[in-house]
Amino acid sequence: MLLFKKVPYSIYRESVIEAYGSIFTEEELHKQWDDIKLPTRSTKKSAGYDFYCPFDITVTRSNIVDIPTGVALVTDRDDIFLMCVPRSGLGFKKGLGLRNTIGVIDADYCQ
């Protein structure tokens, strides 16, 4: 079994405050948490799941951001892991990437 679920509100709140300080009101944090979108596969042949940021952020070439997703992986298996990697198009089209990883190319990717 493999599924995603929202983390408890207290964990989400703590991670956002740790990353961004107190820029959001308690009401805004609750709304973000209520609206968390669980990861989905964009197409049948997607290599992985798309994660979503629960609030708008601006990323520039010179800054590094933390993105608390509010999502946890739930599984009864001990032979799998969750790895966060950018889609290949993020680097080419937007100049974005994770500092410690490479892109993944889905089976249905075509240029």
Side-chain angles (χ1 to χ4, degrees):
M1 175 188 85
L2 169 73
L3 63 99
F4 295 101
K5 70 174 188 173
K6 286 196 309 186
V7 298
Y9 173 74
S10 59
I11 292 173
Y12 175 75
R13 180 183 183 276
E14 181 181 320
S15 65
V16 172
I17 290 172
E18 183 179 317
Y20 293 93
S22 298
I23 66 169
F24 298 112
T25 66
E26 200 66 32
E27 184 177 288
E28 289 170 326
L29 287 169
H30 267 287
K31 172 105 172 80
Q32 291 168 8
W33 183 78
D34 286 340
D35 294 344
I36 285 174
K37 185 175 178 183
L38 295 178
T40 59
R41 290 186 186 266
S42 295
T43 67
K44 284 173 120 177
K45 294 184 180 181
S46 291
Y49 291 83
D50 293 334
F51 277 69
Y52 306 92
C53 185
F55 51 86
D56 292 336
I57 59 170
T58 300
V59 180
T60 64
R61 285 191 182 273
S62 61
N63 73 340
I64 299 168
V65 298
D66 289 334
I67 302 175
T69 63
V71 173
L73 172 68
V74 179
T75 183
D76 58 355
R77 297 176 53 182
D78 59 5
D79 62 339
I80 63 169
F81 69 98
L82 181 63
M83 181 171 61
C84 185
V85 296
R87 295 181 67 100
S88 58
L90 281 177
F92 290 114
K93 296 176 187 171
K94 307 281 186 187
L96 296 175
L98 300 177
R99 289 174 41 148
N100 63 345
T101 188
I102 58 172
V104 170
I105 299 173
D106 298 323
D108 59 354
Y109 172 79
C110 60
Q111 189 166 351

